Amino acid sequence: MAFRPVTVTTSATQLASYNAKRKSLSIFNASTTTTVFISHDRANVVANGFPLVAQAAVSLVDVEGDEPELELVGQVSAGSVDVRVQEGFVRAEER
């Protein structure tokens, strides 16, 4: 599993690029006060994205019918926020 920090700003910020091999994607909003909006579509992220409130996390898992392989972007309405991203891939012996 790969873990990494991403600083999300008022511009659409890439959290994960498209990767057909990714089987899970988890996002944690490390802010204590600010909501991050996430979306697969870079247009109108704050207006139409999924709100991830402060200190909340979301996981997208393919076996649950999600599409973790798709690109995911985040955006805030003001300032910037520290977000943690975790990506899961199929192990070589499971392919």
Side-chain angles (χ1 to χ4, degrees):
M1 284 188 226
F3 294 88
R4 59 189 160 73
V6 176
T7 301
V8 176
T9 67
T10 56
S11 297
T13 306
Q14 187 175 66
L15 300 174
S17 61
Y18 176 84
N19 188 328
K21 295 180 182 180
R22 187 171 45 239
K23 299 302 176 187
S24 67
L25 177 64
S26 296
I27 309 296
F28 172 69
N29 178 358
S31 173
T32 57
T33 58
T34 305
T35 297
V36 174
F37 296 87
I38 58 174
S39 178
H40 293 298
D41 184 356
R42 289 180 170 270
N44 301 314
V45 177
V46 172
N48 299 325
F50 180 86
L52 189 60
V53 298
Q55 297 290 295
V58 64
S59 292
L60 305 172
V61 183
D62 71 336
V63 296
E64 295 177 358
D66 299 328
E67 297 176 301
E69 72 277 7
L70 297 178
E71 176 186 43
L72 192 68
V73 297
Q75 188 171 343
V76 293
S77 56
S80 63
V81 168
D82 176 33
V83 169
R84 301 304 165 106
V85 177
Q86 181 274 319
E87 299 178 83
F89 297 90
V90 174
R91 294 182 180 161
E93 64 270 11
E94 295 175 354
R95 292 182 192 158

